[in-house]
């Protein structure tokens, strides 16, 4: 069992109200999530507004099971006795469903739309307007950053793991020495290709593609030693063509409409967020992005903390590989926000 029994399976069907420039109505989003509530605070109590909520968003190519080690560390620290924890499959991944935009805009899989879906999930589980802390890894961190910009009155704190802003990532690919970053992150270009090229190539042997991706992104210490149940759930989900397309639409949005939304923020001078930010990164990530602290320092108006966690044996999957170092940092930061 990857998660404690206190984590209940929840399926929520919603029509998320997109906060800005909502396109025509689309089929409802269906979200699968795990939800933990402290034993002394049963679900649906009169103290709903006082509940402390942590929302965890996974990245590519995972689903909610990315956070199995994170939850173990939260449990060891006693956080599960005082906090609600919500861990969804992002819409389009795992058991959550998302119909891609029919007009080719990729809006439905944009970070703006997915962020709105996740906020609507919190509204459904708790009450409209419920405030919470959000932490995200990889693509989930990009959703979390957009969420903190679009829902400034909802996000108490923003924890970002292993990212720099999308536009800067593309710029670094172009300017990096010898284009090594481009080679290391080739999937940003490949996965963003129009349908149905990546669907066809990956779909011909998805188990191989995702097994190779997971192994190559894992650090030496954990390579071959990640939980087999979690790894199987990551690989097997892509046998479903809808999940494969959902993940590709995520990257297509990242190379198009997400950049447009970011450009709008820059014009309106709304790139910085109004809540405390914690940035966690690995040693390898620091080697790729030496200016990671400088980048994020300018994007938070309520304080930015940047921490390197783990050693040179840790790969990309920080919430698993560096959980023992990362989660105490996250807990200390959370406690400063919510006394």
């Amino acid at each position: 069992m990857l998660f404690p029994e206190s984590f209940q399976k929840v399926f929520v069907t919603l029509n998320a109200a997109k906060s800005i420039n909502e396109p025509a109505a689309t089929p409802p989003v269906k979200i699968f999530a795990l939800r933990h509530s402290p034993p002394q605070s049963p679900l649906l109590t009169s103290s709903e507004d006082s509940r402390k909520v942590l929302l965890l968003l996974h990245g590519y190519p995972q689903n909610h099971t990315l956070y199995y080690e994170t939850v173990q560390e939260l449990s060891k620290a006693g956080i599960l006795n005082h906090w609600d924890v919500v861990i969804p499959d992002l819409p389009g991944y795992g058991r959550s469903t998302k119909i891609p935009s029919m007009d080719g805009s990729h809006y439905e899989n944009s970070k703006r739309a997915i962020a709105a879906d996740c906020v609507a999930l919190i509204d459904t589980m708790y009450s409209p307007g419920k405030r919470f802390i959000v932490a995200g890894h990889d693509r989930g961190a990009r959703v979390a950053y957009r969420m903190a910009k679009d829902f400034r009155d909802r996000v108490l704190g923003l924890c970002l793991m292993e990212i720099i802003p999308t536009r800067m990532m593309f710029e670094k690919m172009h300017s990096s020495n010898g284009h090594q970053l481009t080679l290391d992150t080739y999937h940003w270009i490949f996965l963003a290709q129009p349908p149905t090229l990546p669907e066809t190539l990956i779909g011909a042997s998805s188990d191989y593609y995702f097994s190779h991706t997971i192994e190559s992104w894992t650090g030496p210490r954990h390579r071959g030693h990640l939980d087999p149940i979690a790894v199987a759930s990551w690989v097997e989900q892509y046998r479903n063509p809808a999940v494969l397309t959902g993940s590709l639409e995520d990257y297509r949005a990242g190379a198009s409409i997400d950049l447009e939304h970011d450009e709008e923020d820059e014009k309106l001078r709304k790139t910085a967020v109004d809540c405390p930010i914690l940035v966690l990164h690995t040693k390898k990530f620091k080697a790729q992005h030496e200016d990671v602290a400088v980048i994020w320092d300018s994007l938070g108006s309520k304080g930015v903390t940047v921490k390197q966690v783990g050693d040179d044996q840790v790969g990309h999957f920080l919430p698993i590989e560096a959980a023992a170092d990362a989660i105490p940092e996250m807990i200390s930061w959370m406690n400063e926000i919510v006394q």
Side-chain angles (χ1 to χ4, degrees):
M1 180 180 295
L2 287 176
F3 295 91
E5 292 183 357
S6 61
F7 280 79
Q8 301 179 350
K9 297 178 180 179
V10 179
F11 288 89
V12 175
T13 300
L14 53 88
N15 279 309
K18 311 302 187 297
S19 61
I20 304 174
N21 300 328
E22 182 176 9
T26 55
V29 178
K30 297 181 180 180
I31 299 182
F32 168 83
L34 295 183
R35 176 182 176 177
H36 161 83
S37 291
Q40 69 270 30
S41 300
L43 300 182
L44 302 177
T45 68
S46 59
S47 61
E48 197 77 28
D49 290 341
S50 65
R51 306 269 278 280
K52 295 184 288 188
V53 178
L54 172 63
L55 174 65
L56 298 175
L57 303 179
H58 68 83
Y60 179 92
Q62 280 85 24
N63 51 39
H64 72 279
T65 60
L66 170 71
Y67 286 107
Y68 70 87
E69 284 287 351
T70 293
V71 166
Q72 288 189 25
E73 294 299 324
L74 291 173
S75 179
K76 289 178 186 177
I79 293 299
L80 299 186
N81 294 327
H82 307 287
W83 285 73
D84 282 33
V85 181
V86 178
I87 318 176
D89 287 343
L90 289 176
Y93 288 84
R95 285 181 273 182
S96 296
T97 63
K98 182 78 169 181
I99 305 300
S101 300
M102 296 296 102
D103 61 1
S105 69
H106 311 299
Y107 181 91
E108 286 303 316
N109 295 85
S110 68
K111 306 306 169 289
R112 170 161 286 162
I114 300 300
D117 292 335
C118 293
V119 170
L121 173 68
I122 296 296
D123 286 343
T124 302
M125 288 183 166
Y126 299 93
S127 58
K130 177 65 181 174
R131 304 188 73 193
F132 54 91
I133 288 177
V134 60
H137 174 257
D138 189 82
R139 309 305 286 186
R142 301 185 188 284
V143 172
Y145 178 39
R146 170 51 60 187
M147 184 184 297
K149 290 194 286 185
D150 284 357
F151 296 90
R152 294 172 185 266
D153 60 334
R154 302 295 301 279
V155 177
L156 293 168
L158 172 66
C159 176
L160 303 172
M161 293 177 267
E162 290 283 276
I163 71 161
I164 59 173
T166 300
R167 178 181 59 79
M168 294 184 185
M169 186 69 174
F170 278 114
E171 290 174 352
K172 280 177 173 284
M173 287 185 202
H174 175 71
S175 62
S176 63
N177 183 29
H179 294 282
Q180 187 58 50
L181 182 61
T182 309
L183 295 173
D184 290 343
T185 56
Y186 79 94
H187 62 288
W188 277 63
I189 309 301
F190 172 53
L191 300 179
Q193 294 301 303
T196 55
L197 178 64
E199 282 92 341
T200 301
L201 295 178
I202 296 173
S205 186
S206 67
D207 281 15
Y208 169 79
Y209 181 82
F210 288 104
S211 295
H212 169 78
T213 298
I214 292 163
E215 181 177 6
S216 63
W217 291 2
T218 304
R221 179 180 296 116
H222 290 83
R223 197 167 295 152
H225 298 288
L226 301 179
D227 190 285
I229 296 175
V231 173
S233 76
W234 305 337
V235 173
E236 291 169 2
Q237 67 180 332
Y238 292 103
R239 296 174 187 171
N240 179 351
V243 174
L244 177 56
T245 294
S247 68
L248 296 173
E249 283 295 302
D250 179 355
Y251 277 88
R252 288 167 183 148
S256 57
I257 195 166
D258 287 346
L259 295 174
E260 294 175 16
H261 293 157
D262 290 343
E263 289 171 3
E264 292 172 4
D265 292 339
E266 291 177 5
K267 291 178 182 178
L268 298 173
R269 297 184 178 181
K270 292 184 177 180
T271 56
V273 301
D274 300 328
C275 65
I277 300 176
L278 172 65
V279 178
L280 300 175
H281 64 80
T282 62
K283 186 173 183 179
K284 180 179 179 181
F285 190 84
K286 172 67 173 176
Q288 291 178 326
H289 309 285
E290 294 181 357
D291 55 348
V292 58
V294 174
I295 289 171
W296 287 112
D297 278 346
S298 65
L299 296 175
S301 63
K302 295 291 180 66
V304 179
T305 303
V306 180
K307 296 281 187 176
Q308 178 178 302
V309 293
D311 55 24
D312 58 4
Q313 297 295 299
V314 171
H316 177 56
F317 304 126
L318 184 156
I320 296 174
E321 299 181 69
D325 289 341
I327 304 312
E329 296 285 357
M330 184 189 297
I331 291 171
S332 176
W333 170 78
M334 287 165 52
N335 287 336
E336 290 180 3
I337 297 171
V338 181
Q339 298 296 328

